[in-house]
Amino acid sequence: MTETSRNGSPDGGQAGRIGIGLDLDATHLRILEVLRENGRISVAALAERVGISRANAYTRFEALRADGAIRRFTAEIDHVRAGLGITALIFVTVRQQMWRQFRAQLAHMPEVEYCAVTTGQHDAMIQVRMTDVAAVHTMVTERLASIPAVKATETVFILDEVIRRPYVLPSDRGPAWSTRRPAPDPAGGEVPLGKMRFVGAAEGRAQLQRDV
């Protein structure tokens, strides 16, 4: 996407909405769909793809950026071509009073692509991309295992990434999909199929989330 200024908009009418809580409509979502395919598209080409005027596309794009709906632009690489052909998920059990140390140590591991606090049997999930299986083994057994905050780990290798999208949007589900589903009636008697069971976070994990 061509870089544009944040100081106002060509048609002024919607400039007051920038940064104060933008309500996304179908046109905003369509803009995000196009940017998902090509983040370097020009404003003129974006307007043509979405079916709006260039001024409208400019204003809406600026509003999406200023409001934080668009956080940043980056490049998507082919990890195999870049020499990182092995992807693994490492599930970590953390000593509950040592979350701060765990976070601090992860910050010094550039091979960690993603880390999330999770519910369930483990406390966190780490995704790494490495050159080979031996590199993953070294990281888990020597680096992670040496962190006092780490109590246990479980490693799962990814064999094939079937779907990996830059991001998903509510509009991907189609107009027939309701974004809000009615809550189950507690007096109905039956438990809905597929109901999820969540494991409550320990005190240390809750503190971690507040610190984010």
Side-chain angles (χ1 to χ4, degrees):
M1 167 59 67
T2 304
E3 285 296 318
T4 50
S5 170
R6 297 190 182 199
N7 300 323
S9 61
D11 54 1
Q14 297 185 18
R17 305 228 25 174
I18 293 179
I20 59 172
L22 183 67
D23 293 328
L24 300 187
D25 58 21
T27 303
H28 289 119
L29 294 177
R30 178 57 183 152
I31 290 174
L32 294 176
E33 289 175 3
V34 174
L35 292 176
R36 179 169 57 187
E37 300 172 8
N38 181 8
R40 300 182 67 184
I41 192 172
S42 68
V43 173
L46 176 64
E48 183 178 356
R49 289 282 304 276
V50 177
I52 57 178
S53 69
R54 186 183 184 282
N56 193 357
Y58 178 94
T59 299
R60 286 174 176 271
F61 169 71
E62 285 293 293
L64 287 167
R65 281 209 318 177
D67 190 70
I70 296 176
R71 298 174 60 182
R72 65 191 178 99
F73 288 90
T74 185
E76 181 180 350
I77 69 168
D78 185 318
H79 294 93
V80 176
R81 293 289 302 276
L84 301 173
I86 298 297
T87 305
L89 302 178
I90 305 171
F91 298 92
V92 182
T93 302
V94 180
R95 300 184 193 280
Q96 294 304 303
Q97 303 305 318
M98 304 182 72
W99 277 101
R100 290 182 182 276
Q101 184 199 69
F102 177 68
R103 290 184 61 184
Q105 292 291 330
L106 283 187
H108 297 290
M109 296 183 178
E111 60 269 49
V112 174
E113 181 179 51
Y114 177 78
C115 177
V117 178
T118 64
T119 63
Q121 179 180 355
H122 304 283
D123 297 312
M125 184 196 77
I126 300 171
Q127 178 169 308
V128 297
R129 295 187 185 272
M130 312 287 279
T131 55
D132 51 38
V133 173
V136 177
H137 177 74
T138 299
M139 178 189 176
V140 173
T141 59
E142 296 183 10
R143 301 185 64 188
L144 279 178
S146 67
I147 300 175
V150 174
K151 184 177 181 180
T153 63
E154 179 180 348
T155 303
V156 176
F157 286 94
I158 294 179
L159 301 180
D160 185 15
E161 296 183 52
V162 180
I163 296 177
R164 179 158 56 91
R165 300 185 176 97
Y167 50 83
V168 296
L169 297 167
S171 55
D172 293 335
R173 297 171 176 173
W177 183 277
S178 174
T179 56
R180 291 186 176 221
R181 294 194 171 187
D185 183 2
E190 295 186 4
V191 178
L193 293 177
K195 184 175 181 180
M196 297 180 68
R197 175 179 178 272
F198 289 93
V199 178
E203 181 180 352
R205 197 186 315 175
Q207 182 62 46
L208 169 70
Q209 294 170 326
R210 287 194 294 270
D211 293 340
V212 173

